[in-house]
Amino acid sequence: MSKQLPFSTVEVNPRNRFSARSLALAIASAALLVTGYNLSRHSWSLGVQNPLVPDQSDADNPARVKAFQQCAINNLLETGLPFMKDVAPVSVPDFEERRDRLAQALVAEGADAFVVEPGYTFKYYGNVSQPEWEVWEPEERPFLMVIRPFHDEATGSVKANTTFLCPSFEAERARLLGMPFSGEISIVPWEEHWNPYTTLWQSDVFLTLRRPARLMVDEEMRDFIQRGLGAAGFDVVGLQGEVEEVRQIKTAREVEILRAANTGTVEAVRQMRKCLYPGLTENEIAAALDDALRAAGLDPFFDIVLFDENASNPHGGTNGSKVLEAETFVLIDVGAHLYGYSSDICRTFFPPFLQKPSEGNVVSRHMREKLKVWDIVFEAQTRSIDQMRENMTAASVDIAARDVISHAGYGEAFTHRVGHGIGIKAHESPYMNQGNTASLLKTGMTFTSEPGIYLVDKFGVRHEDVLLVQEDGNPQLLTGSRARGPWEP
């Protein structure tokens, strides 16, 4: 049984969880009689005359906030974390396979090499991020991975040959990074008083070329490095075509990691929601959600919790001190990492202590608008998902959602694109905006669908799920299940 109230500050050993819960529940029941709350199996309500007026008497009680945090953790752990089963990190053969696919794409695009410095793309091909290489700051000495295609006579296929341009005094540190190669890495060292780009051009890497080598780079390559390569005689071109698609189109291993990360993040929100009580702040909820994610083996990297009018600004900007009340619309947009891959999901919902109105019940005008907008955004998401098929344009997915919201009279309140690619970065290309008619969806691409309506000084609603484009038919959901309603996120 999932907890509906925070009732224990005791760390629960998973092996003794159920007996500990029984004891905690008994203690909590007695405590709640004193504080004025009534506890039930599936929900709780305020023990005051008006059930929609929260008791703020213990809003600043650190023990109660701690109990809320522990409740969120316990609830998530008690699911058994099924989303974490049978998921594994990317292996050395996986990295070698993706570099080989890159080499084949370089041949298709007429490029001699792909050059990248530490960052997300380097992480994708060599498992080294910018902070892992330069913990202090991005510095001026270039450390570059150079991936070239070559024809493997033994297999008859195109393979990748990888070399690193590295400051001489850092060469041993580069080797100690443990990058995913089955053999020793090849390094072209350069001394501090040398021109590193000329050193690369004069090295054995491009010795056989009788013309300027055509190097492809992506948006993470800093301008001074691109200019340095150009001045040394290289022909530098931007990321394009099949080379860009290597990272856009996910392998089965990547899909399973994305599924685990995103399904787990959604489940963390759902289990944490059951523990909410009046008086909690946006910041307190964000902290509890982050702790729950960590307890499940996920690493949160952003967490936006917004109440009512604060959510009318899609990415927040307020100080997180707004207090939770019964009719509060809670918007949570959160992302976590698993094995280097990102989750990025959003849910908008009412707290569990607000009773869901029965059919025919009279609700306030403000509540009616919230319910109406929630449904409109959900329908917009449904239409965008229906459009997320092989060979459809990125623009068409955005337009499908935008038409629903515009026809409902809220067009100006949908202020951002409907989605984006997702992988090792939460935001990757292709980007789903109504102007992106050039990008075609392909099998294996993964996207968010996240339409929203934002009513200034009132509230905001956004639903976000992650989906996999499939060869035939509808995309595959990578977040477990979509929201079912404002009380079932």
Side-chain angles (χ1 to χ4, degrees):
M1 178 183 72
S2 296
K3 270 72 74 179
Q4 305 301 126
L5 259 182
F7 53 69
S8 172
T9 59
V10 179
E11 294 286 341
V12 179
N13 185 321
R15 294 182 179 178
N16 301 320
R17 184 178 298 131
F18 294 100
S19 59
R21 284 177 55 218
S22 300
L23 175 61
L25 184 57
I27 295 171
S29 298
L32 292 171
L33 290 174
V34 176
T35 59
Y37 291 93
N38 297 321
L39 185 65
S40 67
R41 180 177 177 86
H42 296 295
S43 63
W44 62 279
S45 59
L46 293 161
V48 292
Q49 195 166 25
N50 183 349
L52 300 185
V53 179
D55 177 1
Q56 303 287 344
S57 61
D58 64 351
D60 298 321
N61 185 334
R64 190 163 178 77
V65 173
K66 175 63 177 175
F68 159 65
Q69 294 170 336
Q70 192 62 49
C71 174
I73 292 171
N74 291 349
N75 275 358
L76 185 57
L77 293 179
E78 287 177 6
T79 67
L81 311 181
F83 47 86
M84 295 294 282
K85 290 181 171 61
D86 302 321
V87 62
V90 178
S91 65
V92 171
D94 292 326
F95 279 102
E96 291 176 336
E97 187 271 339
R98 64 178 54 162
R99 289 193 296 267
D100 287 343
R101 284 192 289 120
L102 172 62
Q104 294 153 19
L106 288 168
V107 171
E109 295 297 331
D112 297 303
F114 185 71
V115 182
V116 61
E117 62 170 323
Y120 283 100
T121 306
F122 198 120
K123 184 78 174 176
Y124 183 78
Y125 290 111
N127 203 31
V128 176
S129 67
Q130 189 274 321
E132 288 168 333
W133 173 247
E134 300 161 318
V135 296
W136 40 89
E137 63 183 8
E139 63 165 75
E140 72 284 358
R141 300 181 182 97
F143 172 52
L144 305 179
M145 177 164 57
V146 183
I147 302 174
R148 295 171 295 127
F150 77 98
H151 187 78
D152 185 353
E153 294 183 357
T155 63
S157 60
V158 174
K159 297 282 190 179
N161 184 299
T162 305
T163 305
F164 295 88
L165 178 70
C166 182
S168 295
F169 77 96
E170 297 278 38
E172 183 58 24
R173 186 163 74 91
R175 293 188 178 95
L176 291 172
L177 290 170
M179 288 184 282
F181 292 83
S182 54
E184 287 290 321
I185 63 172
S186 174
I187 293 178
V188 173
W190 60 276
E191 301 293 341
E192 294 271 53
H193 58 289
W194 296 357
N195 181 314
Y197 314 107
T198 301
T199 300
L200 179 63
W201 177 238
Q202 294 175 347
S203 72
D204 291 343
V205 176
F206 299 103
L207 192 61
T208 59
L209 284 181
R210 297 294 180 263
R211 54 172 175 77
R214 190 169 190 253
L215 305 183
M216 190 171 288
V217 301
D218 71 1
E219 70 279 1
E220 293 183 0
M221 180 70 76
R222 288 174 292 175
D223 177 68
F224 78 89
I225 295 178
Q226 294 188 49
R227 287 186 285 109
L229 289 167
F234 291 102
D235 176 18
V236 181
V237 298
L239 185 65
Q240 57 192 270
E242 292 186 29
V243 175
E244 186 172 21
E245 288 177 4
V246 173
R247 188 168 139 192
Q248 290 175 339
I249 297 174
K250 273 57 177 183
T251 64
R253 176 70 60 86
E254 291 179 283
V255 168
E256 290 312 306
I257 298 173
L258 285 168
R259 187 195 312 278
N262 284 278
T263 300
T265 304
V266 168
E267 192 61 32
V269 172
R270 288 171 175 162
Q271 297 302 328
M272 180 276 300
R273 176 186 174 272
K274 298 174 183 178
C275 303
L276 296 176
Y277 65 89
L280 285 166
T281 66
E282 295 158 319
N283 285 338
E284 287 167 343
I285 291 174
L289 180 55
D290 284 350
D291 287 344
L293 288 164
R294 292 187 188 99
L298 300 169
D299 182 19
F301 66 95
F302 82 91
D303 196 342
I304 303 170
V305 179
L306 304 170
F307 297 165
D308 282 340
E309 68 271 17
N310 288 353
S312 65
N313 186 353
H315 284 168
T318 46
N319 63 13
S321 63
K322 189 170 176 59
V323 170
L324 183 66
E325 298 176 350
E327 290 194 9
T328 300
F329 234 175
V330 179
L331 186 153
I332 295 181
D333 191 343
V334 58
H337 287 139
L338 176 64
Y339 300 142
Y341 285 78
S342 300
S343 66
D344 186 5
I345 66 95
C346 187
R347 292 292 187 268
T348 307
F349 54 84
F350 287 116
F353 50 86
L354 175 65
Q355 185 176 0
K356 182 178 180 179
S358 301
E359 190 172 345
N361 280 15
V362 177
V363 297
S364 67
R365 180 188 58 80
H366 190 51
M367 276 285 289
R368 284 199 305 273
E369 186 173 26
K370 286 183 174 180
L371 294 170
K372 173 186 174 184
V373 169
W374 196 101
D375 286 342
I376 292 169
V377 176
F378 187 81
E379 177 61 20
Q381 188 190 44
T382 299
R383 296 288 183 87
S384 74
I385 291 172
D386 290 344
Q387 195 73 8
M388 208 176 288
R389 297 170 182 264
E390 175 91 7
N391 291 324
M392 302 304 294
T393 66
S396 70
V397 180
D398 180 281
I399 292 168
R402 200 165 299 278
D403 283 349
V404 172
I405 293 173
S406 295
H407 291 158
Y410 292 95
E412 293 184 0
F414 182 13
T415 54
H416 54 75
R417 67 193 175 205
V418 79
H420 51 79
I422 183 170
I424 60 171
K425 285 186 72 176
H427 290 195
E428 295 186 346
S429 67
Y431 299 103
M432 290 180 163
N433 62 70
Q434 59 186 322
N436 189 4
T437 57
S439 294
L440 297 179
L441 277 57
K442 296 194 174 182
T443 297
M445 289 183 174
T446 49
F447 295 98
T448 66
S449 172
E450 49 178 311
I453 291 176
Y454 309 96
L455 305 180
V456 177
D457 296 329
K458 289 185 176 182
F459 59 88
V461 174
R462 181 163 67 254
H463 309 314
E464 181 177 16
D465 287 277
V466 175
L467 300 111
L468 168 70
V469 178
Q470 301 195 98
E471 187 172 1
D472 298 309
N474 293 326
Q476 185 180 133
L477 191 66
L478 299 183
T479 44
S481 62
R482 295 174 64 197
R484 295 183 178 89
W487 281 268
E488 297 180 87

